[in-house]
Amino acid sequence: MHFLVLRRVFPPALLAMNHHGIASMGLAIPSRYLDVRDLADLRGVDPNKYTKGLGCHEMALCAEGEDVVTLAAAAARRAIERWGGPLSDLGLIAVGTETAKDMSRPLSAFVAEDLGLDGHVRSYEVKHACYGGTLALRQALEWRASGASGPKAALVIASDVALYAPKDPGEPTQGAGAVAMIVAEPRIAEVDLRSEAYAKPVFDFWRPVGESFPKVDGPLSLECYNLGAERTFAALAGDRPVADLVGEFEALCFHVPFPKMVKKAVMHLGAANGWDEPTTAGLFETKVMPTMEDNRRVGNAYTASLWISVARALRGLQAGQRIAAYSYGSGFGAELLTLTAGKDAAAAAWAADLEADLAARRRLSADDYQAWRGA
Ligand code: COA
């Protein structure tokens, strides 16, 4: 009834302008990888700890000449090519990352230089640990929805290289990758303007200025990740049971530091909402685990991890089918987004990116890895 009244007042073209989302997507990962079982051999650890205990399989590693910028630019080129518009139609480039190249110059400037993008465009970097890419996407959507964008589209990129000190407990969770999205008409997916955020200032994972590797309080980071999930799902459900909300989605995507952490959060969500364990485990197996297929082969790509999972979940969806996306960034900030598949989701053109990159990459031996890391 409401909808009919709206349609009578606003012409369809104007209504369409009020829908924003992902018009095109591109992904990129580095050209080398290490099997976590080889890392386990090197570190004298039972490989089951990494594969079963953490749920990891492989970690993407940059080769000489590859870094956070080349990954971001490669993903962006793929997204722009599929979108088909000229660079002059982009009014915003925002890069979410925690692999900053400079304390002042934004990563977006390095990427824009590589792409040849300049002129009437707002260009900036967004930092909030693994949440930065999601924040860049939210800002781009809200920029479009406010009308400030005019007819221009946004280029949003999440790009990171996750490396820990050799022998650090986080070493098996390393990875790297980038996801680029053109935010404009929702050909692939509409991103609902309503989302739920939750934040609490803590030190669970941080990298002091001038240091190469992060410091982590693993148990605190898990506790905060779980709390963020519990609170954002409850807030989005409102007066309804969280189970009803979850039932609306074909898939639930999570930020993936490593797959076991996601499983623990889903089990926590179940316990917080009084679901029995088999029901929660079933939900994890059917709606969450399949979204992490690519994450298990890429490793943690920080800002890009959630969007690698979303890219997987959107593959082959029919227009109108819905997914949820839980973003988490240490520090901490969390946000739950919902997306509705558009007409281009079924064909999933972006799926070719990871298939090509995964097929072409070179497996490092444990010796290669040790020589590269120097330990
Ligand atoms: N076979 C099977 N499982 C094994 C095993 C074996 N031989 N040995 C250990 N495990 C399991 C453990 O039981 C544990 O599983 P559980 O948590 O379900 O009990 C898991 O493997 C990890 O073992 P743990 O001893 O906790 O690992 P660790 O102390 O070496 O820590 C990390 C590793 C990755 C968990 C830790 O470094 C961490 O939390 N890192 C940071 C998290 C992060 O990335 N946060 C970023 C922001 S979200």
Side-chain angles (χ1 to χ4, degrees):
M1 200 62 172
H2 225 123
F3 182 65
L4 287 175
V5 172
L6 275 176
R7 281 186 70 86
R8 220 177 289 147
V9 175
F10 299 107
L14 193 55
L15 275 177
M17 280 176 63
N18 288 329
H19 294 276
H20 307 283
I22 306 168
S24 158
M25 217 176 343
L27 291 87
I29 58 168
S31 62
R32 307 191 300 178
Y33 75 100
L34 182 70
D35 189 306
V36 297
R37 290 168 299 184
D38 292 334
L39 179 67
D41 283 350
L42 180 65
R43 300 298 181 222
V45 170
D46 179 351
N48 287 332
K49 174 174 175 182
Y50 295 168
T51 55
K52 296 192 166 67
L54 301 176
C56 303
H57 285 180
E58 294 162 357
M59 57 174 77
L61 299 168
C62 287
E64 191 71 35
E66 290 174 331
D67 68 2
V68 64
V69 175
T70 63
L71 291 172
R77 277 203 182 81
R78 288 167 165 174
I80 291 166
E81 192 183 321
R82 288 192 187 105
W83 170 54
L87 290 181
S88 55
D89 281 1
L90 292 173
L92 187 155
I93 170 174
V95 183
T97 191
E98 54 181 301
T99 318
K101 296 269 287 184
D102 189 281
M103 289 297 293
S104 297
R105 193 177 197 247
L107 199 67
S108 59
F110 292 87
V111 178
E113 203 165 25
D114 197 309
L115 297 175
L117 173 61
D118 61 16
H120 296 284
V121 59
R122 182 182 288 162
S123 165
Y124 60 99
E125 175 181 318
V126 182
K127 179 179 75 176
H128 192 316
C130 303
Y131 181 27
T134 303
L135 284 167
L137 175 68
R138 292 298 320 174
Q139 289 177 331
L141 277 170
E142 290 159 15
W143 173 72
R144 289 268 308 182
S146 73
S149 63
K152 292 208 169 183
L155 171 60
V156 167
I157 309 169
S159 183
D160 267 305
V161 175
L163 275 185
Y164 294 82
K167 303 180 185 167
D168 183 281
E171 194 178 23
T173 71
Q174 295 174 141
V179 178
M181 294 172 269
I182 299 291
V183 177
E185 68 281 9
R187 286 187 226 157
I188 293 177
E190 181 173 341
V191 183
D192 296 327
L193 273 179
R194 163 102 195 268
S195 65
E196 285 293 343
Y198 189 85
K200 186 173 175 180
V202 296
F203 273 93
D204 61 327
F205 178 107
W206 68 103
R207 181 157 67 86
V209 173
E211 294 199 16
S212 302
F213 302 116
K215 300 185 184 305
V216 189
D217 180 339
L220 178 61
S221 130
L222 180 65
E223 193 185 303
C224 295
Y225 183 99
N226 289 354
L227 178 68
E230 182 189 329
R231 295 288 163 86
T232 55
F233 274 86
L236 200 63
D239 294 338
R240 291 186 302 157
V242 170
D244 287 3
L245 172 74
V246 162
E248 285 179 13
F249 304 116
E250 301 299 316
L252 304 174
C253 301
F254 285 74
H255 165 51
V256 190
F258 51 93
K260 176 63 94 50
M261 189 156 163
V262 175
K263 183 171 187 182
K264 286 185 177 182
V266 174
M267 298 313 287
H268 175 84
L269 202 56
N273 288 288
W275 309 337
D276 60 45
E277 266 194 42
T279 302
T280 314
L283 175 77
F284 175 77
E285 289 302 327
T286 55
K287 293 196 177 182
V288 183
M289 189 68 177
T291 75
M292 298 193 289
E293 278 300 305
D294 295 324
N295 299 90
R296 291 158 77 92
R297 302 195 61 194
V298 172
N300 191 358
Y302 293 157
T303 52
S305 281
L306 170 65
W307 299 100
I308 289 172
S309 167
V310 167
R312 181 80 194 194
L314 285 171
R315 278 193 198 187
L317 289 190
Q318 297 303 308
Q321 290 185 303
R322 285 164 57 70
I323 66 168
Y326 172 67
S327 190
Y328 177 86
S330 292
F332 88 85
E335 190 157 342
L336 181 61
L337 286 69
T338 55
L339 295 87
T340 306
K343 63 178 177 49
D344 287 359
W350 66 90
D353 295 348
L354 276 196
E355 276 161 20
D357 287 357
L358 286 167
R361 66 187 186 164
R362 183 170 80 83
R363 180 174 175 170
L364 292 186
S365 68
D367 288 346
D368 293 335
Y369 176 79
Q370 189 177 32
W372 177 58
R373 296 305 307 271

